[in-house]
Amino acid sequence: MTATKTDGAGASLLEVRDVCKYFGNVVALKDISVGVSAGEVTCVLGDNGAGKSTFIKILSGVHQHDEGELLVEGEQTRFSSPRDAKECGIATVFQDLATVPLMSIWRNFFLGSEPTKGSGPFRRVDVKWAQDTMVAELKKMGIDVRDPDQPAGTLSGGERQAVAIARAVYFGAKVLILDEPTSALGVKQSGVVLRYIAQARDRGLGVIFITHNPHHAYPVGDRFVILNRGKLAGDWRKADISRDELVRQMSGGAELDALEHELRRGLDAPVAG
């Protein structure tokens, strides 16, 4: 099967077609179709319970879809575990699991894949090479690490996300899934993470940015997908929707207008007495 292309983007890296997921009688996802292309940020937005977590767990191999198709670079596939997704070049950075706080920065960078030198009983971790490589990779993202042995927990929230992003890029990720990377950060640190997301896109990765904040999504997004109660509520390219309209759609549009009208009417009503 040949990989498809999306207007204004590179080759299709990851795609789901009419994907459904059920947990007993609960419909978690119903008929979701979304594509992710190289050099593009696809923002997936939705409130709590919208289905965002289930969606990324299917893409990252944690859950398996019950209906529909999952395609990697045009080839239909099914992940049986997160390892399968990783081997296909799909890296997921979960909000609370980006780094191990008490472990050094360079250890976090190579976590589970530490380079070694020597052979047999003399094989050992090549600490110097690992540290130099980590420093060089983070420098590409604008972070100057002076002490590679510094615990990752001493970094800012934005910098910890950057370590996870740089790690995924270094180990050959083609698709980077970021789960609410800015939700626990302040304005300044959120801006830092958004710049790193743009850098990953500019290096040719397909980025899936999961967020409930349209103000964070719009500056870096190329495509915007809104989920609502497990269903696809909207799918727009940036040229087709303004930030204000994205906020409106995310907020419920007509429902929000009706609520505003109801509240205004209540305030205008005469007070008895």
Side-chain angles (χ1 to χ4, degrees):
M1 189 177 294
T2 305
T4 58
K5 288 194 175 183
T6 305
D7 292 342
S12 175
L13 298 176
L14 182 64
E15 184 179 2
V16 292
R17 296 176 182 171
D18 299 320
V19 157
C20 302
K21 180 63 182 177
Y22 309 106
F23 295 100
N25 294 326
V26 177
V27 180
L29 292 177
K30 183 65 174 177
D31 298 329
I32 303 298
S33 296
V34 176
V36 181
S37 298
E40 181 175 272
V41 177
T42 298
C43 299
V44 179
L45 301 102
D47 285 328
N48 293 334
K52 302 190 305 297
S53 294
T54 302
F55 179 65
I56 64 171
K57 285 178 180 177
I58 288 175
L59 297 183
S60 60
V62 176
H63 292 326
Q64 288 74 50
H65 55 287
D66 296 313
E67 296 176 12
E69 297 178 319
L70 172 64
L71 298 94
V72 177
E73 296 187 275
E75 297 293 330
Q76 188 171 336
T77 189
R78 175 179 286 271
F79 300 141
S80 59
S81 68
R83 184 182 295 275
D84 289 348
K86 187 176 180 180
E87 289 176 353
C88 287
I90 300 170
T92 304
V93 178
F94 291 101
Q95 175 187 342
D96 299 325
L97 300 175
T99 58
V100 181
L102 297 179
M103 194 175 286
S104 67
I105 302 173
W106 75 266
R107 282 280 188 181
N108 268 281
F109 189 87
F110 285 98
L111 195 61
S113 302
E114 290 82 358
T116 60
K117 60 182 179 180
S119 59
F122 301 103
R123 177 174 294 179
R124 61 196 183 280
V125 175
D126 192 341
V127 176
K128 181 66 166 60
W129 188 90
Q131 291 178 337
D132 291 345
T133 300
M134 180 276 297
V135 169
E137 291 300 315
L138 288 184
K139 198 165 187 177
K140 292 177 183 177
M141 302 197 73
I143 298 179
D144 186 13
V145 178
R146 296 183 179 180
D147 181 8
D149 284 318
Q150 175 183 344
T154 62
L155 298 174
S156 69
E159 289 172 335
R160 289 196 295 272
Q161 289 287 342
V163 171
I165 294 171
R167 179 176 64 205
V169 173
Y170 176 77
F171 283 103
K174 298 177 182 178
V175 176
L176 180 62
I177 303 174
L178 300 170
D179 177 26
E180 299 276 7
T182 61
S183 65
L185 303 180
V187 175
K188 184 176 180 180
Q189 288 301 318
S190 294
V192 170
V193 173
L194 295 178
R195 281 196 293 272
Y196 297 146
I197 292 174
Q199 286 184 27
R201 173 194 60 198
D202 295 343
R203 293 176 71 169
L205 275 72
V207 181
I208 302 175
F209 177 19
I210 310 293
T211 182
H212 63 271
N213 192 329
H215 296 287
H216 289 172
Y218 199 79
V220 296
D222 299 292
R223 183 179 179 184
F224 306 96
V225 173
I226 294 180
L227 299 181
N228 185 13
R229 297 179 182 177
K231 296 182 179 180
L232 189 65
D235 185 351
W236 302 269
R237 296 203 63 80
K238 193 165 193 171
D240 300 324
I241 190 169
S242 66
R243 181 172 62 181
D244 289 345
E245 180 61 20
L246 182 64
V247 172
R248 173 181 163 81
Q249 292 291 340
M250 177 69 185
S251 302
E255 295 179 16
L256 191 63
D257 288 343
L259 176 61
E260 183 180 359
H261 179 72
E262 180 182 339
L263 292 175
R264 186 183 298 115
R265 186 174 57 194
L267 291 173
D268 292 341
V271 179

